[in-house]
Amino acid sequence: FFEMYSLSKQAAGLIQDVAGLATTQLPAEATQRLVRYMNAAHVIGYVGLGGPYSTPFFDHFNLEYNLLNASEKNRVDEFKMTSGSAAFKEV
């Protein structure tokens, strides 16, 4: 558990680092898209692990934070989030 928690916190910190850098280097629209994709990949990574994390787990965060639009979500759905890391890698 603690190893997984540590990796998750590391990922969140790196997402924040990249988001901060992108804000200063990229146009706002590109930055927003990049941050959405990084956050989506982070959540999808949990779904790919299975256990208590499932597609409804992602759907909850996707609805609340608009991580992926309908077209992007359809693309990711082709990779079956619950079947390993393919969807995570696609994002």
Side-chain angles (χ1 to χ4, degrees), residues 25-86:
Q25 301 295 317
L26 299 174
E29 185 177 318
T31 297
Q32 290 170 355
R33 185 175 56 248
L34 177 62
V35 171
R36 283 191 308 107
Y37 289 173
M38 288 188 298
N39 286 324
H42 192 191
V43 176
I44 290 169
Y46 287 102
V47 175
L49 294 173
Y53 306 110
S54 61
T55 303
F57 176 80
F58 176 81
D59 291 340
H60 167 78
F61 284 99
N62 193 43
L63 284 173
E64 188 165 335
Y65 298 105
N66 300 312
L67 301 176
L68 299 177
N69 64 36
S71 174
E72 294 163 345
K73 174 75 166 56
N74 288 338
R75 173 74 176 145
V76 170
D77 285 346
E78 295 175 18
F79 293 89
K80 303 208 182 339
M81 282 186 225
T82 57
S83 298
S85 63

Side-chain angles (χ1 to χ4, degrees), residues 11-26 30-31 34-35 38:
L14 292 170
I15 289 169
Q16 288 179 343
D17 290 348
V18 171
L21 181 61
T23 299
T24 65
Q25 301 295 317
L26 299 174
T31 297
L34 177 62
V35 171
M38 288 188 298

